[in-house]
Amino acid sequence: RYVAHFTVEGWSSAETRAKVSALRELYRYAGVEIANAAPLALRGNPFLPLYPVAPMNGGRWLPTHGVFAPGRLKDFHAAFEAWKASHAAEMRAHEITMTRMFVPVGSSACIYEPTFYWPDSRTPAQARLAPSDYLAKVNSKPDNPNGRALVFRLRKELTELMGAHVAQHFQIGKWYPYKSKLAPEAQGLIASLKRELDPDNLLNPGALEL
């Protein structure tokens, strides 16, 4: 049901081999080692064309993420499973599916990345970024405004759920909260910088909740 990729490094080949041996000792209780074809292929060609922006079965995808302290991850996972189950019927009705990816960041944090997939029309970004010969093989789906609206509503709920479990975020931009998470003094400083540097609000309006 799950695939886990491990990367190890060390000051010497002996240290690296020792870490690989330790990993093998750990996972032999709960898993099976497979050939390392995926990392070898990626190392051989690290700059692949952007196929993933247009899923092979057509439609769109929308990733979300939260960065959690390890001690909070289990509680968030349970809350996420309950939240997802509460929306199962309407997600099924609109053919919305979800995947999850987990990425430990050393011993200090773990990225939890749920991603939405649903049938919808091709976006300009997909048409621009994915190779044209690949897109010719991908089914084009009809416009699906109702499914899209549901995905955006679910993303908002999921972001709030992550916030309730003290998640942090990369790529804050126009979606994840920034200003509202600052102390009042920091909010004042950021607002004054914005007024001084961008008085007409021309730079990325709406980003960072400014």
Side-chain angles (χ1 to χ4, degrees):
R1 292 178 62 193
Y2 301 96
V3 177
H5 297 280
F6 295 91
T7 301
V8 298
E9 58 185 18
W11 289 106
S12 66
S13 59
E15 181 185 351
T16 306
R17 286 196 300 271
K19 290 178 178 178
V20 171
S21 296
L23 278 172
R24 286 190 168 124
E25 188 65 24
L26 284 170
Y27 69 62
R28 71 187 179 91
Y29 297 102
V32 176
E33 183 173 358
I34 60 174
N36 62 340
L40 285 175
L42 186 62
R43 186 180 179 90
N45 189 2
F47 302 105
L48 292 169
L50 293 176
Y51 302 122
V53 300
M56 180 53 91
N57 62 349
R60 302 187 189 185
W61 65 288
L62 182 68
T64 66
H65 77 279
V67 186
F68 296 88
R72 297 184 183 273
L73 195 65
K74 188 175 179 181
D75 286 345
F76 172 75
H77 177 68
F80 172 79
E81 290 291 319
W83 172 85
K84 186 168 176 283
S86 72
H87 293 290
E90 56 184 340
M91 288 175 65
R92 257 193 318 272
H94 291 277
E95 300 179 66
I96 298 167
T97 58
M98 295 189 77
T99 60
R100 279 161 292 170
M101 181 172 69
F102 310 93
V103 185
V105 184
S107 59
S108 59
C110 187
I111 303 170
Y112 194 117
E113 186 171 300
T115 298
F116 296 93
Y117 292 85
W118 77 100
D120 205 342
S121 56
R122 187 170 293 164
T123 68
Q126 288 175 320
R128 185 176 73 252
L129 296 173
S132 56
D133 58 337
Y134 168 76
L135 283 177
K137 305 171 189 174
V138 174
N139 293 325
S140 184
K141 301 288 186 181
D143 206 40
N144 183 7
N146 293 332
R148 191 184 318 146
L150 176 59
V151 168
F152 291 162
R153 175 166 66 81
L154 293 176
R155 177 177 69 162
K156 185 175 188 304
E157 290 185 17
L158 182 53
T159 303
E160 291 170 352
L161 183 65
M162 289 177 175
H165 289 79
V166 201
Q168 304 301 315
H169 304 282
F170 304 122
Q171 310 146 352
I172 299 169
K174 292 188 178 182
W175 181 251
Y176 295 106
Y178 172 70
K179 182 181 174 184
S180 60
K181 289 204 166 194
L182 298 176
E185 297 82 0
Q187 286 191 20
L189 173 62
I190 294 298
S192 65
L193 284 172
K194 180 74 170 174
R195 285 193 302 271
E196 190 69 28
L197 300 174
D198 185 25
D200 297 321
N201 198 32
L202 300 177
L203 181 63
N204 251 339
L208 306 179
E209 299 180 306
L210 300 176

mmCIF file with all atom_site columns, all heavy atoms in Angstrom, residues 148-169:
data_model
loop_
_atom_site.group_PDB
_atom_site.id
_atom_site.type_symbol
_atom_site.label_atom_id
_atom_site.label_alt_id
_atom_site.label_comp_id
_atom_site.label_asym_id
_atom_site.label_entity_id
_atom_site.label_seq_id
_atom_site.pdbx_PDB_ins_code
_atom_site.Cartn_x
_atom_site.Cartn_y
_atom_site.Cartn_z
_atom_site.occupancy
_atom_site.B_iso_or_equiv
_atom_site.pdbx_formal_charge
_atom_site.auth_seq_id
_atom_site.auth_comp_id
_atom_site.auth_asym_id
_atom_site.auth_atom_id
_atom_site.pdbx_PDB_model_num
ATOM 1   N N   . ARG A 1 148 ? -14.580 21.753 -9.034  1.00 0.00 ? 148 ARG A N   1
ATOM 2   C CA  . ARG A 1 148 ? -13.487 22.670 -8.712  1.00 0.00 ? 148 ARG A CA  1
ATOM 3   C C   . ARG A 1 148 ? -13.825 23.494 -7.473  1.00 0.00 ? 148 ARG A C   1
ATOM 4   O O   . ARG A 1 148 ? -12.981 23.665 -6.575  1.00 0.00 ? 148 ARG A O   1
ATOM 5   C CB  . ARG A 1 148 ? -13.249 23.590 -9.909  1.00 0.00 ? 148 ARG A CB  1
ATOM 6   C CG  . ARG A 1 148 ? -11.981 24.422 -9.843  1.00 0.00 ? 148 ARG A CG  1
ATOM 7   C CD  . ARG A 1 148 ? -11.931 25.360 -11.053 1.00 0.00 ? 148 ARG A CD  1
ATOM 8   N NE  . ARG A 1 148 ? -12.350 24.672 -12.259 1.00 0.00 ? 148 ARG A NE  1
ATOM 9   C CZ  . ARG A 1 148 ? -13.023 25.262 -13.253 1.00 0.00 ? 148 ARG A CZ  1
ATOM 10  N NH1 . ARG A 1 148 ? -13.358 26.544 -13.178 1.00 0.00 ? 148 ARG A NH1 1
ATOM 11  N NH2 . ARG A 1 148 ? -13.370 24.566 -14.329 1.00 0.00 ? 148 ARG A NH2 1
ATOM 12  N N   . ALA A 1 149 ? -15.057 23.981 -7.396  1.00 0.00 ? 149 ALA A N   1
ATOM 13  C CA  . ALA A 1 149 ? -15.467 24.775 -6.231  1.00 0.00 ? 149 ALA A CA  1
ATOM 14  C C   . ALA A 1 149 ? -15.407 23.935 -4.964  1.00 0.00 ? 149 ALA A C   1
ATOM 15  O O   . ALA A 1 149 ? -15.008 24.426 -3.898  1.00 0.00 ? 149 ALA A O   1
ATOM 16  C CB  . ALA A 1 149 ? -16.883 25.313 -6.445  1.00 0.00 ? 149 ALA A CB  1
ATOM 17  N N   . LEU A 1 150 ? -15.781 22.661 -5.064  1.00 0.00 ? 150 LEU A N   1
ATOM 18  C CA  . LEU A 1 150 ? -15.704 21.790 -3.895  1.00 0.00 ? 150 LEU A CA  1
ATOM 19  C C   . LEU A 1 150 ? -14.259 21.573 -3.467  1.00 0.00 ? 150 LEU A C   1
ATOM 20  O O   . LEU A 1 150 ? -13.946 21.625 -2.273  1.00 0.00 ? 150 LEU A O   1
ATOM 21  C CB  . LEU A 1 150 ? -16.377 20.441 -4.191  1.00 0.00 ? 150 LEU A CB  1
ATOM 22  C CG  . LEU A 1 150 ? -16.285 19.389 -3.084  1.00 0.00 ? 150 LEU A CG  1
ATOM 23  C CD1 . LEU A 1 150 ? -16.909 19.902 -1.788  1.00 0.00 ? 150 LEU A CD1 1
ATOM 24  C CD2 . LEU A 1 150 ? -16.964 18.091 -3.524  1.00 0.00 ? 150 LEU A CD2 1
ATOM 25  N N   . VAL A 1 151 ? -13.363 21.367 -4.432  1.00 0.00 ? 151 VAL A N   1
ATOM 26  C CA  . VAL A 1 151 ? -11.951 21.185 -4.094  1.00 0.00 ? 151 VAL A CA  1
ATOM 27  C C   . VAL A 1 151 ? -11.413 22.410 -3.367  1.00 0.00 ? 151 VAL A C   1
ATOM 28  O O   . VAL A 1 151 ? -10.719 22.299 -2.347  1.00 0.00 ? 151 VAL A O   1
ATOM 29  C CB  . VAL A 1 151 ? -11.114 20.894 -5.359  1.00 0.00 ? 151 VAL A CB  1
ATOM 30  C CG1 . VAL A 1 151 ? -9.617  20.998 -5.053  1.00 0.00 ? 151 VAL A CG1 1
ATOM 31  C CG2 . VAL A 1 151 ? -11.423 19.512 -5.903  1.00 0.00 ? 151 VAL A CG2 1
ATOM 32  N N   . PHE A 1 152 ? -11.741 23.603 -3.862  1.00 0.00 ? 152 PHE A N   1
ATOM 33  C CA  . PHE A 1 152 ? -11.236 24.821 -3.219  1.00 0.00 ? 152 PHE A CA  1
ATOM 34  C C   . PHE A 1 152 ? -11.820 24.985 -1.810  1.00 0.00 ? 152 PHE A C   1
ATOM 35  O O   . PHE A 1 152 ? -11.134 25.458 -0.901  1.00 0.00 ? 152 PHE A O   1
ATOM 36  C CB  . PHE A 1 152 ? -11.553 26.040 -4.072  1.00 0.00 ? 152 PHE A CB  1
ATOM 37  C CG  . PHE A 1 152 ? -10.770 26.090 -5.361  1.00 0.00 ? 152 PHE A CG  1
ATOM 38  C CD1 . PHE A 1 152 ? -11.181 26.892 -6.409  1.00 0.00 ? 152 PHE A CD1 1
ATOM 39  C CD2 . PHE A 1 152 ? -9.621  25.333 -5.529  1.00 0.00 ? 152 PHE A CD2 1
ATOM 40  C CE1 . PHE A 1 152 ? -10.462 26.946 -7.594  1.00 0.00 ? 152 PHE A CE1 1
ATOM 41  C CE2 . PHE A 1 152 ? -8.894  25.376 -6.713  1.00 0.00 ? 152 PHE A CE2 1
ATOM 42  C CZ  . PHE A 1 152 ? -9.322  26.184 -7.753  1.00 0.00 ? 152 PHE A CZ  1
ATOM 43  N N   . ARG A 1 153 ? -13.084 24.595 -1.639  1.00 0.00 ? 153 ARG A N   1
ATOM 44  C CA  . ARG A 1 153 ? -13.678 24.661 -0.296  1.00 0.00 ? 153 ARG A CA  1
ATOM 45  C C   . ARG A 1 153 ? -13.006 23.658 0.635   1.00 0.00 ? 153 ARG A C   1
ATOM 46  O O   . ARG A 1 153 ? -12.696 23.984 1.797   1.00 0.00 ? 153 ARG A O   1
ATOM 47  C CB  . ARG A 1 153 ? -15.183 24.384 -0.366  1.00 0.00 ? 153 ARG A CB  1
ATOM 48  C CG  . ARG A 1 153 ? -15.847 24.325 1.010   1.00 0.00 ? 153 ARG A CG  1
ATOM 49  C CD  . ARG A 1 153 ? -17.349 24.390 0.923   1.00 0.00 ? 153 ARG A CD  1
ATOM 50  N NE  . ARG A 1 153 ? -17.959 23.250 0.274   1.00 0.00 ? 153 ARG A NE  1
ATOM 51  C CZ  . ARG A 1 153 ? -18.190 22.085 0.909   1.00 0.00 ? 153 ARG A CZ  1
ATOM 52  N NH1 . ARG A 1 153 ? -17.833 21.912 2.164   1.00 0.00 ? 153 ARG A NH1 1
ATOM 53  N NH2 . ARG A 1 153 ? -18.779 21.100 0.268   1.00 0.00 ? 153 ARG A NH2 1
ATOM 54  N N   . LEU A 1 154 ? -12.750 22.456 0.131   1.00 0.00 ? 154 LEU A N   1
ATOM 55  C CA  . LEU A 1 154 ? -12.090 21.442 0.953   1.00 0.00 ? 154 LEU A CA  1
ATOM 56  C C   . LEU A 1 154 ? -10.666 21.860 1.292   1.00 0.00 ? 154 LEU A C   1
ATOM 57  O O   . LEU A 1 154 ? -10.182 21.622 2.402   1.00 0.00 ? 154 LEU A O   1
ATOM 58  C CB  . LEU A 1 154 ? -12.083 20.093 0.219   1.00 0.00 ? 154 LEU A CB  1
ATOM 59  C CG  . LEU A 1 154 ? -13.442 19.434 0.003   1.00 0.00 ? 154 LEU A CG  1
ATOM 60  C CD1 . LEU A 1 154 ? -13.299 18.161 -0.825  1.00 0.00 ? 154 LEU A CD1 1
ATOM 61  C CD2 . LEU A 1 154 ? -14.126 19.125 1.331   1.00 0.00 ? 154 LEU A CD2 1
ATOM 62  N N   . ARG A 1 155 ? -9.988  22.502 0.340   1.00 0.00 ? 155 ARG A N   1
ATOM 63  C CA  . ARG A 1 155 ? -8.624  22.969 0.622   1.00 0.00 ? 155 ARG A CA  1
ATOM 64  C C   . ARG A 1 155 ? -8.637  23.998 1.752   1.00 0.00 ? 155 ARG A C   1
ATOM 65  O O   . ARG A 1 155 ? -7.748  23.984 2.622   1.00 0.00 ? 155 ARG A O   1
ATOM 66  C CB  . ARG A 1 155 ? -8.001  23.571 -0.632  1.00 0.00 ? 155 ARG A CB  1
ATOM 67  C CG  . ARG A 1 155 ? -6.598  24.138 -0.386  1.00 0.00 ? 155 ARG A CG  1
ATOM 68  C CD  . ARG A 1 155 ? -5.927  24.667 -1.619  1.00 0.00 ? 155 ARG A CD  1
ATOM 69  N NE  . ARG A 1 155 ? -6.545  25.871 -2.118  1.00 0.00 ? 155 ARG A NE  1
ATOM 70  C CZ  . ARG A 1 155 ? -5.943  26.711 -2.968  1.00 0.00 ? 155 ARG A CZ  1
ATOM 71  N NH1 . ARG A 1 155 ? -4.714  26.462 -3.405  1.00 0.00 ? 155 ARG A NH1 1
ATOM 72  N NH2 . ARG A 1 155 ? -6.563  27.796 -3.400  1.00 0.00 ? 155 ARG A NH2 1
ATOM 73  N N   . LYS A 1 156 ? -9.628  24.883 1.759   1.00 0.00 ? 156 LYS A N   1
ATOM 74  C CA  . LYS A 1 156 ? -9.719  25.879 2.830   1.00 0.00 ? 156 LYS A CA  1
ATOM 75  C C   . LYS A 1 156 ? -9.925  25.191 4.171   1.00 0.00 ? 156 LYS A C   1
ATOM 76  O O   . LYS A 1 156 ? -9.261  25.516 5.164   1.00 0.00 ? 156 LYS A O   1
ATOM 77  C CB  . LYS A 1 156 ? -10.855 26.849 2.548   1.00 0.00 ? 156 LYS A CB  1
ATOM 78  C CG  . LYS A 1 156 ? -10.967 27.995 3.547   1.00 0.00 ? 156 LYS A CG  1
ATOM 79  C CD  . LYS A 1 156 ? -12.033 28.998 3.134   1.00 0.00 ? 156 LYS A CD  1
ATOM 80  C CE  . LYS A 1 156 ? -12.012 30.249 4.020   1.00 0.00 ? 156 LYS A CE  1
ATOM 81  N NZ  . LYS A 1 156 ? -12.164 29.966 5.441   1.00 0.00 ? 156 LYS A NZ  1
ATOM 82  N N   . GLU A 1 157 ? -10.836 24.221 4.229   1.00 0.00 ? 157 GLU A N   1
ATOM 83  C CA  . GLU A 1 157 ? -11.072 23.485 5.471   1.00 0.00 ? 157 GLU A CA  1
ATOM 84  C C   . GLU A 1 157 ? -9.811  22.753 5.915   1.00 0.00 ? 157 GLU A C   1
ATOM 85  O O   . GLU A 1 157 ? -9.472  22.731 7.108   1.00 0.00 ? 157 GLU A O   1
ATOM 86  C CB  . GLU A 1 157 ? -12.209 22.476 5.280   1.00 0.00 ? 157 GLU A CB  1
ATOM 87  C CG  . GLU A 1 157 ? -13.584 23.092 5.128   1.00 0.00 ? 157 GLU A CG  1
ATOM 88  C CD  . GLU A 1 157 ? -14.675 22.032 5.065   1.00 0.00 ? 157 GLU A CD  1
ATOM 89  O OE1 . GLU A 1 157 ? -14.405 20.864 5.455   1.00 0.00 ? 157 GLU A OE1 1
ATOM 90  O OE2 . GLU A 1 157 ? -15.789 22.356 4.622   1.00 0.00 ? 157 GLU A OE2 1
ATOM 91  N N   . LEU A 1 158 ? -9.118  22.139 4.959   1.00 0.00 ? 158 LEU A N   1
ATOM 92  C CA  . LEU A 1 158 ? -7.918  21.379 5.300   1.00 0.00 ? 158 LEU A CA  1
ATOM 93  C C   . LEU A 1 158 ? -6.821  22.299 5.821   1.00 0.00 ? 158 LEU A C   1
ATOM 94  O O   . LEU A 1 158 ? -6.104  21.947 6.772   1.00 0.00 ? 158 LEU A O   1
ATOM 95  C CB  . LEU A 1 158 ? -7.444  20.605 4.066   1.00 0.00 ? 158 LEU A CB  1
ATOM 96  C CG  . LEU A 1 158 ? -6.226  19.706 4.231   1.00 0.00 ? 158 LEU A CG  1
ATOM 97  C CD1 . LEU A 1 158 ? -6.402  18.740 5.398   1.00 0.00 ? 158 LEU A CD1 1
ATOM 98  C CD2 . LEU A 1 158 ? -5.972  18.933 2.936   1.00 0.00 ? 158 LEU A CD2 1
ATOM 99  N N   . THR A 1 159 ? -6.677  23.481 5.239   1.00 0.00 ? 159 THR A N   1
ATOM 100 C CA  . THR A 1 159 ? -5.689  24.444 5.721   1.00 0.00 ? 159 THR A CA  1
ATOM 101 C C   . THR A 1 159 ? -6.006  24.864 7.156   1.00 0.00 ? 159 THR A C   1
ATOM 102 O O   . THR A 1 159 ? -5.105  24.977 8.003   1.00 0.00 ? 159 THR A O   1
ATOM 103 C CB  . THR A 1 159 ? -5.655  25.680 4.814   1.00 0.00 ? 159 THR A CB  1
ATOM 104 O OG1 . THR A 1 159 ? -5.373  25.270 3.476   1.00 0.00 ? 159 THR A OG1 1
ATOM 105 C CG2 . THR A 1 159 ? -4.590  26.665 5.269   1.00 0.00 ? 159 THR A CG2 1
ATOM 106 N N   . GLU A 1 160 ? -7.279  25.064 7.451   1.00 0.00 ? 160 GLU A N   1
ATOM 107 C CA  . GLU A 1 160 ? -7.683  25.419 8.818   1.00 0.00 ? 160 GLU A CA  1
ATOM 108 C C   . GLU A 1 160 ? -7.413  24.269 9.780   1.00 0.00 ? 160 GLU A C   1
ATOM 109 O O   . GLU A 1 160 ? -7.000  24.485 10.932  1.00 0.00 ? 160 GLU A O   1
ATOM 110 C CB  . GLU A 1 160 ? -9.152  25.812 8.833   1.00 0.00 ? 160 GLU A CB  1
ATOM 111 C CG  . GLU A 1 160 ? -9.422  27.134 8.111   1.00 0.00 ? 160 GLU A CG  1
ATOM 112 C CD  . GLU A 1 160 ? -10.906 27.403 7.902   1.00 0.00 ? 160 GLU A CD  1
ATOM 113 O OE1 . GLU A 1 160 ? -11.731 26.489 8.187   1.00 0.00 ? 160 GLU A OE1 1
ATOM 114 O OE2 . GLU A 1 160 ? -11.260 28.513 7.446   1.00 0.00 ? 160 GLU A OE2 1
ATOM 115 N N   . LEU A 1 161 ? -7.647  23.035 9.331   1.00 0.00 ? 161 LEU A N   1
ATOM 116 C CA  . LEU A 1 161 ? -7.364  21.872 10.169  1.00 0.00 ? 161 LEU A CA  1
ATOM 117 C C   . LEU A 1 161 ? -5.868  21.776 10.468  1.00 0.00 ? 161 LEU A C   1
ATOM 118 O O   . LEU A 1 161 ? -5.465  21.481 11.600  1.00 0.00 ? 161 LEU A O   1
ATOM 119 C CB  . LEU A 1 161 ? -7.851  20.599 9.465   1.00 0.00 ? 161 LEU A CB  1
ATOM 120 C CG  . LEU A 1 161 ? -7.685  19.291 10.237  1.00 0.00 ? 161 LEU A CG  1
ATOM 121 C CD1 . LEU A 1 161 ? -8.558  19.283 11.490  1.00 0.00 ? 161 LEU A CD1 1
ATOM 122 C CD2 . LEU A 1 161 ? -8.035  18.092 9.349   1.00 0.00 ? 161 LEU A CD2 1
ATOM 123 N N   . MET A 1 162 ? -5.046  22.028 9.462   1.00 0.00 ? 162 MET A N   1
ATOM 124 C CA  . MET A 1 162 ? -3.598  22.031 9.682   1.00 0.00 ? 162 MET A CA  1
ATOM 125 C C   . MET A 1 162 ? -3.209  23.112 10.688  1.00 0.00 ? 162 MET A C   1
ATOM 126 O O   . MET A 1 162 ? -2.376  22.881 11.573  1.00 0.00 ? 162 MET A O   1
ATOM 127 C CB  . MET A 1 162 ? -2.866  22.258 8.356   1.00 0.00 ? 162 MET A CB  1
ATOM 128 C CG  . MET A 1 162 ? -2.938  21.092 7.400   1.00 0.00 ? 162 MET A CG  1
ATOM 129 S SD  . MET A 1 162 ? -2.126  21.478 5.823   1.00 0.00 ? 162 MET A SD  1
ATOM 130 C CE  . MET A 1 162 ? -2.233  19.888 4.997   1.00 0.00 ? 162 MET A CE  1
ATOM 131 N N   . GLY A 1 163 ? -3.823  24.294 10.545  1.00 0.00 ? 163 GLY A N   1
ATOM 132 C CA  . GLY A 1 163 ? -3.522  25.376 11.479  1.00 0.00 ? 163 GLY A CA  1
ATOM 133 C C   . GLY A 1 163 ? -3.882  25.024 12.899  1.00 0.00 ? 163 GLY A C   1
ATOM 134 O O   . GLY A 1 163 ? -3.183  25.407 13.846  1.00 0.00 ? 163 GLY A O   1
ATOM 135 N N   . ALA A 1 164 ? -4.983  24.284 13.083  1.00 0.00 ? 164 ALA A N   1
ATOM 136 C CA  . ALA A 1 164 ? -5.390  23.867 14.425  1.00 0.00 ? 164 ALA A CA  1
ATOM 137 C C   . ALA A 1 164 ? -4.374  22.918 15.053  1.00 0.00 ? 164 ALA A C   1
ATOM 138 O O   . ALA A 1 164 ? -4.350  22.764 16.277  1.00 0.00 ? 164 ALA A O   1
ATOM 139 C CB  . ALA A 1 164 ? -6.760  23.194 14.371  1.00 0.00 ? 164 ALA A CB  1
ATOM 140 N N   . HIS A 1 165 ? -3.535  22.282 14.219  1.00 0.00 ? 165 HIS A N   1
ATOM 141 C CA  . HIS A 1 165 ? -2.485  21.390 14.721  1.00 0.00 ? 165 HIS A CA  1
ATOM 142 C C   . HIS A 1 165 ? -1.102  22.020 14.559  1.00 0.00 ? 165 HIS A C   1
ATOM 143 O O   . HIS A 1 165 ? -0.094  21.338 14.481  1.00 0.00 ? 165 HIS A O   1
ATOM 144 C CB  . HIS A 1 165 ? -2.562  20.040 14.006  1.00 0.00 ? 165 HIS A CB  1
ATOM 145 C CG  . HIS A 1 165 ? -3.747  19.224 14.403  1.00 0.00 ? 165 HIS A CG  1
ATOM 146 N ND1 . HIS A 1 165 ? -5.015  19.453 13.912  1.00 0.00 ? 165 HIS A ND1 1
ATOM 147 C CD2 . HIS A 1 165 ? -3.870  18.193 15.276  1.00 0.00 ? 165 HIS A CD2 1
ATOM 148 C CE1 . HIS A 1 165 ? -5.856  18.591 14.449  1.00 0.00 ? 165 HIS A CE1 1
ATOM 149 N NE2 . HIS A 1 165 ? -5.203  17.827 15.287  1.00 0.00 ? 165 HIS A NE2 1
ATOM 150 N N   . VAL A 1 166 ? -1.074  23.364 14.522  1.00 0.00 ? 166 VAL A N   1
ATOM 151 C CA  . VAL A 1 166 ? 0.150   24.175 14.561  1.00 0.00 ? 166 VAL A CA  1
ATOM 152 C C   . VAL A 1 166 ? 1.085   23.840 13.399  1.00 0.00 ? 166 VAL A C   1
ATOM 153 O O   . VAL A 1 166 ? 2.306   23.746 13.577  1.00 0.00 ? 166 VAL A O   1
ATOM 154 C CB  . VAL A 1 166 ? 0.885   24.013 15.917  1.00 0.00 ? 166 VAL A CB  1
ATOM 155 C CG1 . VAL A 1 166 ? 1.821   25.205 16.152  1.00 0.00 ? 166 VAL A CG1 1
ATOM 156 C CG2 . VAL A 1 166 ? -0.089  23.913 17.076  1.00 0.00 ? 166 VAL A CG2 1
ATOM 157 N N   . ALA A 1 167 ? 0.520   23.663 12.202  1.00 0.00 ? 167 ALA A N   1
ATOM 158 C CA  . ALA A 1 167 ? 1.365   23.432 11.032  1.00 0.00 ? 167 ALA A CA  1
ATOM 159 C C   . ALA A 1 167 ? 1.991   24.736 10.561  1.00 0.00 ? 167 ALA A C   1
ATOM 160 O O   . ALA A 1 167 ? 1.420   25.809 10.711  1.00 0.00 ? 167 ALA A O   1
ATOM 161 C CB  . ALA A 1 167 ? 0.528   22.827 9.900   1.00 0.00 ? 167 ALA A CB  1
ATOM 162 N N   . GLN A 1 168 ? 3.174   24.625 9.999   1.00 0.00 ? 168 GLN A N   1
ATOM 163 C CA  . GLN A 1 168 ? 3.813   25.725 9.292   1.00 0.00 ? 168 GLN A CA  1
ATOM 164 C C   . GLN A 1 168 ? 3.750   25.418 7.801   1.00 0.00 ? 168 GLN A C   1
ATOM 165 O O   . GLN A 1 168 ? 3.430   24.287 7.413   1.00 0.00 ? 168 GLN A O   1
ATOM 166 C CB  . GLN A 1 168 ? 5.262   25.906 9.750   1.00 0.00 ? 168 GLN A CB  1
ATOM 167 C CG  . GLN A 1 168 ? 5.411   26.120 11.246  1.00 0.00 ? 168 GLN A CG  1
ATOM 168 C CD  . GLN A 1 168 ? 4.661   27.344 11.732  1.00 0.00 ? 168 GLN A CD  1
ATOM 169 O OE1 . GLN A 1 168 ? 4.729   28.392 11.112  1.00 0.00 ? 168 GLN A OE1 1
ATOM 170 N NE2 . GLN A 1 168 ? 3.951   27.214 12.844  1.00 0.00 ? 168 GLN A NE2 1
ATOM 171 N N   . HIS A 1 169 ? 4.078   26.400 6.956   1.00 0.00 ? 169 HIS A N   1
ATOM 172 C CA  . HIS A 1 169 ? 3.939   26.196 5.519   1.00 0.00 ? 169 HIS A CA  1
ATOM 173 C C   . HIS A 1 169 ? 5.082   26.843 4.758   1.00 0.00 ? 169 HIS A C   1
ATOM 174 O O   . HIS A 1 169 ? 5.596   27.884 5.149   1.00 0.00 ? 169 HIS A O   1
ATOM 175 C CB  . HIS A 1 169 ? 2.625   26.794 5.007   1.00 0.00 ? 169 HIS A CB  1
ATOM 176 C CG  . HIS A 1 169 ? 1.404   26.275 5.700   1.00 0.00 ? 169 HIS A CG  1
ATOM 177 N ND1 . HIS A 1 169 ? 0.852   25.042 5.426   1.00 0.00 ? 169 HIS A ND1 1
ATOM 178 C CD2 . HIS A 1 169 ? 0.647   26.818 6.683   1.00 0.00 ? 169 HIS A CD2 1
ATOM 179 C CE1 . HIS A 1 169 ? -0.210  24.857 6.197   1.00 0.00 ? 169 HIS A CE1 1
ATOM 180 N NE2 . HIS A 1 169 ? -0.346  25.919 6.968   1.00 0.00 ? 169 HIS A NE2 1
#
